[in-house]
Amino acid sequence: MISAIFNKQLNYTPRKIVAICLLILTAISLASIYSSLHQAGKMEDLDIFYKEIIWVVIAWVILIIFSLVNYRIWFDFAYVFYVINILLLLAVDLFGRRALGAQRWLNVGGFNFQPSELSKLITIFLLARFFVHDVNKGFIKGALVPFTLVMFNVILIAKQPDLGTALILIFLFFLMGFASANKKRYFVAMIIAALLISPFVWNHMKDYQKKRLIVFLNPNAEPLGAGYTIIQSKIAIGSGKFFGKGFLSGTQNQFNFLPERHTDFIFTVIAEEWGFIGCFFLFLIYITVINNISRVAKYQKDNFARFVILGTAFLFFLHVFINIGMTLGILPVVGVPLLFVSYGGTHLLVSFMLLGIFFNICRQQ
Amino acid sequence: MSSFKRNNFDAFFTSICVGGFSILLISLFYYQILKGDYYLIRARNNYVRVIPERSLRGNIYDRNGELLAKDIPSFNISVIPYQIKYKKDKLFKSISVYINSDVKRLDRNYNRKFQNQFSPVDIIPDIDKKTAFKIKEKFGDDVLINPEPKRLYLYPYEFAHVLGYVQDASAFPENIKKYGYSPSERIGKTGIEEYYDDYLRGKDGGDLIEINAQGQIAGFLGKLNTQRGNDVYLTLDLNMQKAAYSAMKDKKGAFIFMDSKNGGILALVSSPSFNPNSFVTGADELTEVFKDKRRPLQNRAIQSTYPLGSTFKPVVAIAALESKKITTSTTFNCTGKLKLGNAEFHCEHAHGLQNLYAALAHSCNVYFYNVGMLTGREQITKWAEKLGLNSLTGIDLPYENKGIVPGTSWGVFKKWYMGDTLNLSIGQGYILASPIENTLVFNTFANAGYIVRPHIINKIGDTSIAVTQPVKSGIPLETLAILQNDLRGVIENDGGTARILNSLALKISGKTGTAQARGGAHGWFVGYFPYDDPKYTICIFLENAGSSYESVKVALEFLGQLKEKKIL
């Protein structure tokens, strides 16, 4: 009886809470991007802001569409999508557009999109389908096969090179593995093995990635080189203090000290202008979103739905943690956007797709 | 799955998230609350910039170590855009009133040199030290004095075309992108400055500093040392160049004086000349230079090509001798003209019976018309090309142009008439060459048939630059000996066209040439001396001078000066 009431509430409440949070995040995103374009007392170029509005509109449309599509379709087509995704990643490798020393973008009708972002979504489907059975399938079928499948993605993405996404996929695999009915020690063994081969990976990294890792350990090593961004980012965040400098008043970002302010370093704009209190509020929203998503997972009877939701929650967590962690200098700068806040792109659409699926799952109860 | 296992996992997941957010929150607390004041101060002071320190360009010296070009300190008045953004117009107006200059000029400089909000922009370049400090005193923190090295050419007009000049890279946006010049860096343009720019150019350094909101230095992060460019030593001789320039002054043409043995250029003048220092400062006289119809910027010695006139006759003689159409004793009778069909081809005088020696000394056209008809276009152009015409000499100056040798493969759609062959035999018609190409032809006569590579570089820094080995032209020594003997006649013979040079007693051999051209005949004199062991090759070309006699006079004046100064 009590649990029935609780369930009824569940069908309704988390969805509403997440939707409200999403609206707030969208507002924060637009405000921060607008502010990031404000330079030395005047507006530089609002082009990016207008584009972001278009991105947000598209994202909300996608969210609604995905929430109307029965989520079981993702189960049925999980493997098909996986193959398509691999083909897309290969296409990037062959015909992709280069920018900033990386080859991540595929141009489709004048519109650049990043298949590596899409592979986060598709990896969640793939693993959810793989782990759907409530039995331990043994090391080979339960752990090694899905790991190999994910690693195809990881290698193609790491080759682009997009270290951030590659790492996120690996984390996703282990978390969803732990959540599955397979024995935990398979995954623990794999983590130990991974740590043992990591020196070889180091040898295959691009120079700029190695540099970033080194700088991450000691940002003052190169005050004008790769460490510059982290120092400037810390100054921006720290100088916001408790109450922040106020909207459009962040001197750090206005004076052009920080590159990629509207994308990967958008958090510095928020931290500088809204201070600790603003960041705390932002954290609360993120925690609310992640908590409400994972709460739905907790009482989910359909294993596939449960894994998709868990994957979503964990992916969201990773995005927030890695992005803010890197702006604070506690994680290397790997190029991960801030969930729902960074300027547009495939990342925004993928996050909204996952939420759309989440809403659909909630509706299906 | 048992709910126990699920709960286990959920607890695990929750702890990851809680742990993660705790780490972030603690870090934020540390940076924003505990160290907030520290970072706020850093943010206020934190305008990290590189204050560029311009490197010095290498000096340029002549062969004897005489200084030709160097860097001297200059003072610019600069502003920092961010500091003056609200009062720029007012400030510029009052500065321009103060120094009595046009405000438009300040605006122009500002717009051209603007880089970013924090890097100083030179609004008044190259101002004398006293005025600079006066302005600084008057306008205080709004302006700053930005010292910078400035190029100075010690003998501007004499060396203008050989040395070239430097300009701010901002005038050449393509170089900024392609070769990584910064907009206020100097870039070599034309001449040695351009050709050896990579060596002459230094590496800029600067102070890595933090600037506060007032534009004052708030902290020092480090220093990037500047690297001075390499000094460059040339084969040119200051005294010879000066003598050449004074002999060429007010004339239009080119002068080349070269070491016969290795191709080292001792003097190279193109006239009229210009002042390269005005390019450095961007002075108003530049407009006049650009407008000048006599095209002073053109390096006539290497860029322009002209008909060779009679100076081409020795080449025709070689072709004829080599193809066995004539011998030294072959004679033709000159009646002052030659009839071909309905056309008449003329000669200066009726020279009478002429052999090769006499025909070269008197520069008899009729003799060479006959020789040309016997020898034919193919042989003449073949030997012309063997002597290096129709190809670049490879001199180490940018923008060299090559002339034309109308060989059989040239202009296949143009019909070739016998009249064209006659014109070719006296160096008229289609054949063209630059003065440096023609110099090389005579140098090859002097240098036992070996073609040298003309060059101006002698040493870069402490490294001597190896002379490119001369290549064989393929002209047999016996033929050369005939020619060498005959070219003496041009000076030694009483009827020789350059006999006035005989008074110098320098054992000169050579050939004059008057080439018909629009706007008046060009005058050539090309030769070498001493003929028993040639050391120097000389080439004088005067555009529209009327006759070759003018060129011979220039040679006389130049060589006379050198003799007087006991340089030769």
Side-chain angles (χ1 to χ4, degrees):
Chain A
M1 177 68 191
I2 292 166
S3 88
I5 294 166
F6 197 66
N7 265 335
K8 196 167 188 296
Q9 279 181 335
L10 258 181
N11 291 342
Y12 173 70
T13 321
R15 203 151 52 110
K16 196 172 170 187
I17 293 170
V18 170
I20 290 166
C21 289
L22 195 56
L23 278 172
I24 296 170
L25 285 171
T26 303
I28 292 175
S29 168
L30 287 172
S32 317
I33 289 168
Y34 182 84
S35 176
S36 77
L37 300 173
H38 201 256
Q39 281 210 349
K42 62 171 194 210
M43 228 39 188
E44 287 289 293
D45 183 9
L46 275 179
D47 226 30
I48 286 173
F49 180 71
Y50 297 136
K51 277 188 190 160
E52 173 67 8
I53 292 177
I54 296 171
W55 276 111
V56 167
V57 170
I58 296 172
W60 278 91
V61 170
I62 281 182
L63 177 101
I64 290 163
I65 294 171
F66 273 63
S67 69
L68 296 174
V69 175
N70 187 330
Y71 72 88
R72 292 299 298 184
I73 194 173
W74 312 118
F75 176 87
D76 296 338
F77 288 104
Y79 295 137
V80 178
F81 286 137
Y82 173 78
V83 173
I84 291 172
N85 185 234
I86 292 279
L87 291 177
L88 282 174
L89 286 171
L90 282 170
V92 171
D93 200 31
L94 295 174
F95 325 107
R97 192 174 73 87
R98 301 200 129 263
L100 305 166
Q103 191 161 356
R104 295 179 188 172
W105 292 269
L106 210 54
N107 192 301
V108 183
F111 169 83
N112 290 319
F113 95 104
Q114 258 178 293
S116 63
E117 287 293 337
L118 211 57
S119 65
K120 291 173 187 165
L121 176 90
I122 284 161
T123 303
I124 291 176
F125 295 157
L126 177 83
L127 291 173
R129 176 153 183 180
F130 234 96
F131 295 140
V132 78
H133 304 291
D134 244 349
V135 287
N136 177 14
K137 289 203 252 177
F139 179 70
I140 304 280
K141 279 185 93 178
L144 199 59
V145 173
F147 180 72
T148 313
L149 290 176
V150 172
M151 280 312 280
F152 280 131
N153 265 317
V154 169
I155 288 166
L156 281 171
I157 291 167
K159 217 181 142 215
Q160 290 179 357
D162 182 352
L163 206 60
T165 306
L167 284 174
I168 283 178
L169 291 191
I170 293 176
F171 287 140
L172 262 182
F173 168 77
F174 284 111
L175 183 104
M176 290 175 78
F178 282 132
S180 75
N182 296 299
K183 287 221 154 59
K184 306 285 173 280
R185 61 166 185 264
Y186 301 157
F187 301 99
V188 175
M190 287 169 96
I191 291 171
I192 293 167
L195 289 176
L196 289 177
I197 62 158
S198 55
F200 299 98
V201 176
W202 169 260
N203 283 334
H204 278 93
M205 285 206 305
K206 295 259 166 171
D207 279 346
Y208 85 90
Q209 291 171 326
K210 287 186 186 175
K211 219 178 195 172
R212 279 178 173 183
L213 268 176
I214 293 167
V215 166
F216 157 62
L217 296 170
N218 180 14
N220 288 307
E222 266 187 272
L224 278 192
Y228 173 83
T229 318
I230 292 176
I231 293 175
Q232 297 305 332
S233 163
K234 277 189 194 172
I235 292 175
I237 294 169
S239 65
K241 295 179 74 183
F242 192 76
F243 290 110
K245 296 174 186 168
F247 185 52
L248 300 183
S249 306
T251 56
Q252 268 299 99
N253 89 71
Q254 284 195 21
F255 289 135
N256 222 341
F257 287 133
L258 279 161
E260 303 171 68
R261 289 185 306 278
H262 60 280
T263 58
D264 291 357
F265 281 86
I266 193 79
F267 180 72
T268 60
V269 177
I270 297 170
E272 187 180 11
E273 296 187 349
W274 301 105
F276 183 76
I277 194 88
C279 296
F280 189 77
F281 177 69
L282 182 71
F283 282 12
L284 272 186
I285 294 174
Y286 279 134
I287 290 167
T288 311
V289 170
I290 294 165
N291 183 40
N292 276 283
I293 294 174
S294 55
R295 252 174 72 205
V296 174
K298 212 179 272 183
Y299 301 100
Q300 194 49 246
K301 291 200 183 76
D302 179 355
N303 255 335
F304 178 73
R306 173 176 175 256
F307 278 110
V308 169
I309 292 171
L310 269 180
T312 303
F314 189 57
L315 184 70
F316 285 2
F317 165 76
L318 280 177
H319 265 277
V320 175
F321 182 71
I322 294 177
N323 178 277
I324 297 179
M326 79 189 195
T327 61
L328 283 168
I330 56 177
L331 288 175
V333 180
V334 285
V336 170
L338 182 61
L339 187 69
F340 298 123
V341 177
S342 280
Y343 168 76
T346 323
H347 148 78
L348 192 78
L349 298 188
V350 167
S351 305
F352 270 76
M353 283 175 196
L354 281 167
L355 271 191
I357 296 164
F358 166 75
F359 286 156
N360 182 261
I361 292 170
C362 294
R363 274 158 47 93
Q364 300 278 323
Q365 300 303 317
Chain B
M1 190 193 275
S2 71
S3 68
F4 169 73
K5 268 187 175 170
R6 271 202 178 191
N7 288 340
N8 236 354
F9 174 79
D10 288 330
F12 170 66
F13 182 76
T14 309
S15 53
I16 288 179
C17 293
V18 170
F21 276 104
S22 306
I23 292 171
L24 294 182
L25 211 60
I26 290 166
S27 310
L28 263 183
F29 185 80
Y30 172 76
Y31 287 120
Q32 296 195 298
I33 313 288
L34 296 184
K35 297 202 81 176
D37 286 323
Y38 165 77
Y39 280 114
L40 188 60
I41 291 166
R42 278 199 72 175
R44 279 190 186 143
N45 292 337
N46 170 15
Y47 305 125
V48 179
R49 281 294 166 261
V50 181
I51 300 286
E53 189 183 336
R54 297 290 162 215
S55 56
L56 292 175
R57 236 177 131 75
N59 290 341
I60 303 178
Y61 298 95
D62 87 336
R63 66 186 303 121
N64 303 315
E66 293 284 347
L67 190 59
L68 305 179
K70 65 171 178 179
D71 276 354
I72 54 165
S74 79
F75 298 91
N76 304 319
I77 293 293
S78 308
V79 292
I80 292 176
Y82 171 66
Q83 276 183 45
I84 59 150
K85 65 183 171 196
Y86 298 119
K87 50 185 171 186
K88 193 186 116 208
D89 293 338
K90 229 177 104 188
L91 179 71
F92 281 15
K93 213 169 192 173
S94 43
I95 293 178
S96 66
V97 169
Y98 187 70
I99 61 164
N100 202 5
S101 154
D102 192 0
V103 69
K104 273 188 203 142
R105 205 160 153 172
L106 302 188
D107 276 323
R108 201 182 59 202
N109 285 336
Y110 180 86
N111 291 332
R112 217 180 61 189
K113 292 180 176 172
F114 178 88
Q115 288 177 61
N116 61 49
Q117 289 285 334
F118 293 97
S119 290
V121 183
D122 299 340
I123 51 164
I124 312 171
D126 190 30
I127 193 167
D128 69 89
K129 202 171 165 182
K130 230 168 119 190
T131 321
F133 280 95
K134 260 193 194 156
I135 294 174
K136 174 77 189 161
E137 217 167 273
K138 168 105 180 150
F139 295 96
D141 286 344
D142 291 341
V143 297
L144 52 104
I145 297 174
N146 197 14
E148 241 178 31
K150 175 183 130 185
R151 201 63 160 167
L152 179 74
Y153 299 97
L154 281 81
Y155 308 95
Y157 287 97
E158 285 87 340
F159 286 92
H161 294 95
V162 201
L163 296 192
Y165 48 88
V166 293
Q167 274 187 294
D168 278 355
S170 63
F172 310 95
E174 73 280 1
N175 289 70
I176 297 176
K177 272 196 201 128
K178 220 159 130 195
Y179 303 111
Y181 287 89
S182 90
S184 47
E185 202 174 340
R186 293 168 301 163
I187 183 168
K189 280 281 140 188
T190 81
I192 292 295
E193 293 275 26
E194 174 167 342
Y195 202 91
Y196 292 104
D197 195 37
D198 281 349
Y199 300 97
L200 285 163
R201 165 187 183 198
K203 230 176 137 187
D204 285 356
D207 292 334
L208 264 41
I209 54 155
E210 288 185 310
I211 310 177
N212 65 17
Q214 283 76 46
Q216 293 153 339
I217 295 169
F220 182 76
L221 292 176
K223 190 175 168 69
L224 240 66
N225 287 324
T226 60
Q227 256 174 308
R228 191 176 178 278
N230 290 299
D231 289 342
V232 160
Y233 295 81
L234 307 181
T235 56
L236 298 172
D237 184 309
L238 173 61
N239 287 316
M240 294 184 184
Q241 183 82 8
K242 273 175 160 172
Y245 179 72
S246 77
M248 287 293 288
K249 214 171 176 183
D250 306 324
K251 298 181 176 71
K252 209 159 67 167
F255 183 107
I256 297 164
F257 196 54
M258 185 171 87
D259 183 325
S260 309
K261 297 272 174 1
N262 65 21
I265 302 282
L266 296 161
L268 190 148
V269 168
S270 175
S271 185
S273 189
F274 61 94
N275 184 355
N277 287 325
S278 56
F279 276 92
V280 177
T281 53
D284 289 334
E285 61 178 284
L286 267 185
T287 335
E288 277 165 42
V289 172
F290 283 118
K291 274 190 192 154
D292 196 331
K293 287 221 168 66
R294 298 179 306 157
R295 288 177 296 137
L297 291 175
Q298 180 129 353
N299 186 347
R300 289 177 158 79
I302 62 157
Q303 286 178 303
S304 313
T305 57
Y306 304 97
L308 294 172
S310 303
T311 59
F312 187 60
K313 285 173 183 167
V315 181
V316 178
I318 288 176
L321 289 166
E322 279 304 305
S323 54
K324 308 266 186 285
K325 301 294 186 207
I326 58 162
T327 65
T328 47
S329 48
T330 308
T331 55
F332 295 99
N333 188 26
C334 170
T335 58
K337 62 188 174 205
L338 184 127
K339 257 185 108 128
L340 183 76
N342 293 328
E344 268 190 2
F345 289 80
H346 294 275
C347 195
E348 200 80 355
H349 313 283
H351 290 106
L353 217 54
Q354 297 278 303
N355 63 5
L356 181 59
Y357 178 84
L360 280 171
H362 305 138
S363 204
C364 173
N365 285 351
V366 172
Y367 177 91
F368 280 96
Y369 292 145
N370 285 302
V371 170
M373 280 195 288
L374 285 174
T375 315
R377 170 198 191 186
E378 203 179 319
Q379 286 295 320
I380 295 172
T381 53
K382 183 183 107 184
W383 286 94
E385 286 183 356
K386 276 196 177 192
L387 278 158
L389 293 176
N390 201 21
S391 46
L392 295 174
T393 64
I395 190 169
D396 45 356
L397 287 176
Y399 313 118
E400 185 190 355
N401 282 322
K402 65 178 181 132
I404 293 170
V405 171
T408 43
S409 61
W410 175 86
V412 279
F413 300 111
K414 277 202 180 88
K415 203 158 186 288
W416 186 269
Y417 298 97
M418 186 52 92
D420 291 323
T421 307
L422 293 194
N423 275 331
L424 178 65
S425 334
I426 58 161
Q428 292 284 159
Y430 297 116
I431 188 150
L432 292 174
S434 67
I436 188 75
E437 276 181 287
N438 207 9
T439 311
L440 270 210
V441 171
F442 279 76
N443 195 70
T444 306
F445 301 155
N447 201 27
Y450 281 88
I451 301 176
V452 297
R453 161 84 71 93
H455 61 271
I456 298 177
I457 197 75
N458 193 2
K459 236 166 53 168
I460 296 175
D462 295 328
T463 317
S464 293
I465 306 302
V467 173
T468 311
Q469 282 305 307
V471 289
K472 253 188 166 143
S473 62
I475 299 170
L477 282 173
E478 309 84 72
T479 311
L480 275 175
I482 295 167
L483 212 68
Q484 283 162 357
N485 181 54
D486 291 357
L487 288 176
R488 282 170 61 179
V490 176
I491 287 89
E492 289 181 344
N493 194 292
D494 284 342
T497 48
R499 60 186 169 275
I500 56 165
L501 295 179
N502 211 10
S503 62
L504 290 165
L506 286 170
K507 299 185 180 174
I508 303 171
S509 284
K511 183 76 193 78
T512 59
T514 305
Q516 300 307 319
R518 212 176 299 158
H522 303 320
W524 285 95
F525 176 74
V526 199
Y528 54 86
F529 64 92
Y531 48 67
D532 38 13
D533 180 24
K535 281 195 184 118
Y536 304 104
T537 304
I538 184 169
C539 170
I540 291 135
F541 169 80
L542 293 179
E543 206 175 303
N544 309 127
S547 96
S548 62
Y549 186 64
E550 299 300 320
S551 304
V552 179
K553 280 201 301 199
V554 169
L556 183 68
E557 191 191 331
F558 170 74
L559 295 171
Q561 273 194 48
L562 295 197
K563 256 194 99 168
E564 206 175 289
K565 290 182 187 157
K566 301 202 162 45
I567 299 168
L568 285 178

